[in-house]
Amino acid sequence: MKNDTTNIVLPDFSKSPRIDKVGVEEQVAKFQKRSVKAETKKQGLRMALNMIDLTTLEGKDTPGKVKQLCYKAQHVHDILPGLPKVAAVCVYPSMVGVSVKALAGSGVKVASVSTAFPSGQSPLSVKLMDTKFAVSEGADEIDMVISRGKFLSGEYNFVFDEIAVIKEACGEARLKVILETGELVTLDNVRRASDIAMYAGADFIKTSTGKIQPAATMQVTCVMLEAIRDFMDTTGIKVGMKPAGGISNSKLALHNLVMVNEVLGSEWLSNEWFRFGASSLANDVLMQIIKTETGVYQSSNYFSID
Amino acid sequence: MKRLEVLKTYKIYIGGKFPRTESGRYYTPLNKKGEQLASVSQSSRKDVRNAVVAARKAFGGWSERAAFNRGQILYRIAEILEGRKLQFIEELIFQGSSKSNAEKEVNVSIDRFIYYAGWCDKYSQILGSVNPVASSHFNFSVPEATGVVGVITDQTSSLIGLVSLVAPIIAGGNTCIVLASESKPLCAITFAEVLNSSDVPDGVVNILTGSQEEMIEPLTTHMDVNAMSYSGISKNFEKQLKESSALNLKRVSIYSKDWIKSDNQDLYMIADFQEIKTTWHPIENIGGSSSFY
């Protein structure tokens, strides 16, 4: 399902709500203190596994490595039968073809970063070609980056138009818009960028590229979730959320799920509306799942290398 | 005006930090006279888990350090221990030792570190070998550190039991999680302060106080622990140790020695936590009659 925002009246983005940083921090601290009981934790871990976009975005990626990742996406840990598959595999455009072939018929989606990821410092024509190439190779989802430089200089229209044009180029593919919150400096900016992205037609908003620190902090994710909630209230359009980068253990993943549930509600608790962009999270979640099954703390030696 | 004495909080030692136990629990061991030794952290299974994570993280760096440098660091532990001798003697006496025994225990502990410091850059020559083979290869066998070791120390001793087990383990490039003596825990934590100021990298030695009986299960079943070292007399512990270690084939070493005796230390306590790796290397006789060059 793709979002259509073409007939929505646009607000003045310079008037996006201001964020109370201290308030957000207090709120986030509460989400981290919820007591999660054993059975809930079991379900939560499986849910988290099913929401992962298994990611490899490195200069040294090869078709061999991507194939191996695609295999892992479908067979996360065959020793324990009945585990869910991950949601998607996230790769560079040049690796989309390999991934599509390797994942054919599995139900695991192929996401491709594009628009001169991770900096986005290229002319629009290049970004469009990048996107169209990924789509033509068969990507189900496109993860674009916004132009942070333009955003920080106040050229909101430029950022908006760029997203809208890329959205068109996506065709049937769902569009995730990466804000790269680590470069946006303030939570006010995060909120504004979220609003721009959603009104311009984002199907998902995503925190980070994973190349810049800090990445998906709970504070940032919280602000973005609230933006999604407000957007839903105003327009009736549902937008997905993808925190990416820095979520490397199960505890953090569960905290995030608690937050999604409390800010947006349980309708967002599926991989159609919520994703984790991560490479090492899957193994930690697996280790925790095995721990809950066997009662024994696990070692990474017995899990696949990611 | 009489000054109010400032008492030390005996906290646990994980990853180079002194946290309170995650569980927030304490126990108050007593000495023979019935005096309260201190309020000591009663660690939980989660502290065990955290300690194993810290030990695993430290393993790569510690095992790859130059053997000579490991020796220097062990020697440094002895130096710092020497400087804090009086504090250890005082604690030992408070926990029930006689003055002369306390002095001896601390002296032997210091000497033990010196002893193993000397072995650091020598054991691999003794335990390793160049093996005769029937082809033009060198064939080496060399010892390598086993990994993360769980240490369950002697209940009856506060310092020497711990030192005697830990020194050979870290001399060999392993990292460890130590369950200190439950009834005499004071020296273990003071020893952690010595480690912390002796250039020992964070996480190489982690020390937990509390009920050994409670912690033995999560420690011995932990899949990321590669070996166990036990010194004590409990047959129940021994049984449990062997049974749960079978889960991931941990190396198990059980000692019953009188650690205070100065000759209860040897190379083979280092060897107990080493794996022997054998490698082949072709002999290239450059310019020789069989050479390709």
Side-chain angles (χ1 to χ4, degrees):
Chain A
M1 200 179 78
K2 288 182 41 93
N3 290 343
D4 184 4
T5 52
T6 36
N7 296 321
I8 303 275
V9 180
L10 294 184
D12 178 353
F13 292 118
S14 65
K15 297 206 172 79
S16 270
R18 291 306 185 88
I19 304 299
D20 168 13
K21 189 160 174 279
V22 177
V24 169
E25 266 157 21
E26 265 177 32
Q27 212 178 341
V28 163
K30 276 185 206 153
F31 298 137
Q32 292 169 334
K33 283 191 190 119
R34 297 283 185 265
S35 132
V36 179
K37 301 293 178 222
E39 187 52 35
T40 316
K41 188 176 168 189
K42 251 185 189 175
Q43 298 301 325
L45 288 169
R46 281 166 188 267
M47 184 183 270
L49 191 62
N50 188 231
M51 288 171 165
I52 290 174
D53 281 6
L54 213 54
T55 303
T56 182
L57 296 170
E58 285 169 17
K60 62 178 188 217
D61 285 349
T62 58
K65 189 188 172 192
V66 171
K67 271 185 216 158
Q68 187 223 343
L69 196 79
C70 293
Y71 185 84
K72 183 171 179 176
Q74 303 167 67
H75 305 269
V76 278
H77 197 62
D78 286 345
I79 294 167
L80 191 68
L83 284 175
K85 293 171 185 165
V86 302
V89 160
C90 183
V91 293
Y92 271 117
S94 60
M95 294 296 161
V96 170
V98 179
S99 314
V100 169
K101 212 170 145 197
L103 291 169
S106 67
V108 178
K109 302 250 188 329
V110 177
S112 170
V113 295
S114 85
T115 68
F117 179 94
S119 72
Q121 296 282 21
S122 285
L124 184 59
S125 55
V126 173
K127 294 183 181 180
L128 276 170
M129 264 173 67
D130 201 14
T131 309
K132 283 176 183 161
F133 173 76
V135 173
S136 69
E137 288 283 288
D140 302 298
E141 298 169 357
I142 296 293
D143 291 26
M144 72 168 287
V145 290
I146 64 165
S147 299
R148 283 86 76 189
K150 293 282 184 188
F151 176 88
L152 291 171
S153 355
E155 296 187 43
Y156 304 141
N157 290 340
F158 180 95
V159 176
F160 182 96
D161 292 345
E162 207 175 53
I163 298 171
V165 173
I166 298 292
K167 163 90 174 179
E168 247 181 73
C170 283
E172 284 309 301
R174 288 176 92 193
L175 176 66
K176 306 197 196 101
V177 177
I178 304 172
L179 310 181
E180 193 62 303
T181 53
E183 291 185 339
L184 296 186
V185 190
T186 65
L187 290 179
D188 288 348
N189 282 343
V190 171
R191 169 67 195 230
R192 185 171 301 129
S194 305
D195 288 345
I196 293 173
M198 289 187 292
Y199 277 98
D203 297 298
F204 262 87
I205 49 176
K206 172 174 168 184
T207 58
S208 328
T209 59
K211 308 286 182 199
I212 299 276
Q213 290 300 324
T217 62
M218 285 199 60
Q219 286 82 346
V220 155
T221 307
C222 184
V223 169
M224 290 169 73
L225 289 172
E226 281 172 350
I228 292 173
R229 183 189 61 201
D230 294 348
F231 185 70
M232 172 82 177
D233 288 346
T234 324
T235 66
I237 296 173
K238 204 169 166 184
V239 175
M241 173 72 201
K242 175 175 172 184
I247 303 174
S248 56
N249 66 53
S250 310
K251 202 175 193 176
L252 258 172
L254 288 175
H255 287 159
N256 270 277
L257 291 182
V258 167
M259 180 157 71
V260 173
N261 188 41
E262 292 190 26
V263 177
L264 290 175
S266 56
E267 316 91 85
W268 261 266
L269 288 180
S270 84
N271 68 15
E272 208 192 336
W273 300 109
F274 191 76
R275 298 281 179 84
F276 291 109
S279 48
S280 55
L281 175 63
N283 271 10
D284 193 69
V285 170
L286 280 172
M287 279 163 66
Q288 290 303 317
I289 291 176
I290 309 278
K291 158 74 174 53
T292 56
E293 299 283 336
T294 61
V296 169
Y297 289 120
Q298 297 298 306
S299 160
S300 59
N301 284 342
Y302 304 96
F303 293 82
S304 61
I305 297 167
D306 46 18
Chain B
M1 196 174 73
K2 192 170 175 281
R3 185 173 173 275
L4 193 62
E5 198 186 350
V6 179
L7 295 173
K8 179 163 93 184
T9 313
Y10 284 84
K11 297 192 281 187
I12 53 180
Y13 187 53
I14 299 177
K17 295 203 162 58
F18 290 91
R20 291 183 162 81
T21 162
E22 163 281 335
S23 65
R25 299 173 307 172
Y26 289 86
Y27 73 107
T28 48
L30 308 176
N31 65 13
K32 275 187 211 150
K33 291 182 205 156
E35 295 164 319
Q36 181 182 324
L37 293 178
S39 288
V40 180
S41 294
Q42 191 180 341
S43 312
S44 67
R45 59 183 298 137
K46 286 191 180 172
D47 294 312
V48 172
R49 176 198 63 187
N50 293 345
V52 175
V53 171
R56 172 59 61 194
K57 199 172 155 211
F59 176 68
W62 182 243
S63 60
E64 279 167 22
R65 264 187 200 246
F68 180 68
N69 185 228
R70 276 209 305 275
Q72 288 176 309
I73 291 174
L74 261 74
Y75 195 94
R76 178 84 181 150
I77 298 173
E79 285 177 6
I80 306 282
L81 207 51
E82 182 84 45
R84 294 180 63 167
K85 216 164 156 178
L86 291 178
Q87 188 184 359
F88 280 99
I89 292 173
E90 215 172 76
E91 279 180 351
L92 284 170
I93 293 172
F94 188 40
Q95 291 173 111
S97 296
S98 70
K99 186 158 187 286
S100 63
N101 282 346
E103 270 170 11
K104 186 168 182 211
E105 182 165 347
V106 178
N107 285 336
V108 175
S109 298
I110 297 166
D111 295 349
R112 195 140 290 166
F113 263 106
I114 300 284
Y115 173 82
Y116 284 110
W119 269 121
C120 283
D121 58 353
K122 300 172 190 72
Y123 69 83
S124 92
Q125 294 93 307
I126 311 284
L127 301 175
S129 58
V130 178
N131 311 313
V133 285
S135 58
S136 56
H137 291 90
F138 277 129
N139 183 285
F140 304 96
S141 293
V142 286
E144 285 187 350
T146 298
V148 173
V149 184
V151 181
I152 303 173
T153 62
D154 207 331
Q155 275 291 338
T156 56
S157 117
S158 190
L159 181 64
I160 187 67
L162 186 155
V163 165
S164 303
L165 295 188
V166 168
I169 288 170
I170 61 174
N174 302 284
T175 58
C176 60
I177 301 100
V178 184
L179 307 188
S181 163
E182 193 173 335
S183 53
K184 297 177 174 178
L186 300 192
C187 292
I189 296 306
T190 308
F191 180 63
E193 292 162 13
V194 169
L195 293 171
N196 196 41
S197 49
S198 313
D199 301 330
V200 181
D202 296 349
V204 169
V205 182
N206 304 277
I207 301 179
L208 304 176
T209 52
S211 159
Q212 288 190 346
E213 200 172 341
E214 181 189 345
M215 292 185 284
I216 191 170
E217 196 257 327
L219 183 62
T220 52
T221 57
H222 201 307
M223 298 292 279
D224 216 13
V225 174
N226 307 110
M228 290 297 306
S229 173
Y230 174 60
S231 164
I233 48 160
S234 161
K235 290 291 159 203
N236 273 346
F237 268 24
E238 261 193 58
K239 185 164 170 282
Q240 200 181 348
L241 198 66
K242 286 176 180 166
E243 275 177 9
S244 27
S245 292
L247 205 57
N248 63 336
L249 303 180
K250 289 180 186 69
R251 240 171 229 295
V252 177
S253 293
I254 295 170
Y255 308 98
S256 65
K257 290 186 177 177
D258 184 6
W259 299 116
I260 205 87
K261 284 199 181 139
S262 55
D263 55 353
N264 271 336
Q265 54 191 17
D266 59 54
L267 166 67
Y268 296 100
M269 283 193 67
I270 299 179
D272 285 344
F273 301 98
Q274 298 291 311
E275 308 297 327
I276 301 297
K277 182 173 86 177
T278 297
T279 36
W280 293 76
H281 196 282
I283 300 169
E284 184 61 70
N285 189 3
I286 293 176
S289 59
S290 65
S291 170
F292 296 112
Y293 301 103

